[in-house]
Amino acid sequence: MKKTLVQIFNSLKEFTASLGFWWPVVLVPIWQEILFRYIPYKFFYLPTGNFWLVGIISTLLFAAIHWYFGKWFVVYGLVGGMILWWVMVRYGLVAGIFLHALVNALDLIFGLRNFLIR
């Protein structure tokens, strides 16, 4: 039987939910910072030095993957993504991962997401 995209998405959500805090506080910051900040930094920013172009494109992609949380969360992703881009360029990958993990932990503790999902 073929799975629909919605079924695959729901299965993935169930799996990640089973990982508890490890998913949003440890694993997500690592893979997202590598994919959306470090790779663009290494392969596009360093060769060109174009901070704004590379930062905006990588941040748009980062924000787009958060669409399922709602339109306000996409805006949050745009602002947060640019801040994380600046941190990556200024302080490096590890600093970006730590900041991303901190923001996700604060979101879990204080429920920021509940105010942005609409």
Side-chain angles (χ1 to χ4, degrees):
M1 174 175 120
K2 279 186 156 179
K3 281 190 171 185
T4 67
L5 189 56
V6 171
Q7 290 171 322
I8 292 169
F9 183 72
N10 287 335
S11 296
L12 184 59
K13 280 175 57 176
E14 287 176 23
F15 172 72
T16 57
S18 73
L19 296 174
F21 81 95
W22 289 102
W23 179 249
V25 178
V26 178
L27 300 172
V28 166
I30 292 170
W31 80 262
Q32 286 185 351
E33 290 309 306
I34 290 170
L35 182 64
F36 294 106
R37 251 73 66 192
Y38 183 73
I39 290 173
Y41 172 80
K42 180 81 170 166
F43 295 104
F44 300 104
Y45 170 72
L46 287 180
T48 66
N50 197 331
F51 176 85
W52 289 107
L53 180 62
V54 176
I56 289 170
I57 291 171
S58 67
T59 296
L60 286 171
L61 294 171
F62 174 74
I65 69 161
H66 293 88
W67 66 268
Y68 58 89
F69 288 126
K71 62 185 173 189
W72 289 109
F73 207 86
V74 172
V75 173
Y76 174 70
L78 288 168
V79 173
M82 280 308 292
I83 292 168
L84 288 166
W85 171 248
W86 177 80
V87 168
M88 169 68 223
V89 172
R90 177 92 166 134
Y91 299 105
L93 177 62
V94 174
I97 290 170
F98 278 127
L99 179 58
H100 195 152
L102 175 64
V103 168
N104 286 2
L106 292 172
D107 175 31
L108 288 175
I109 293 166
F110 296 110
L112 175 62
R113 186 171 305 186
N114 296 330
F115 297 103
L116 296 173
I117 299 174
R118 301 261 188 265

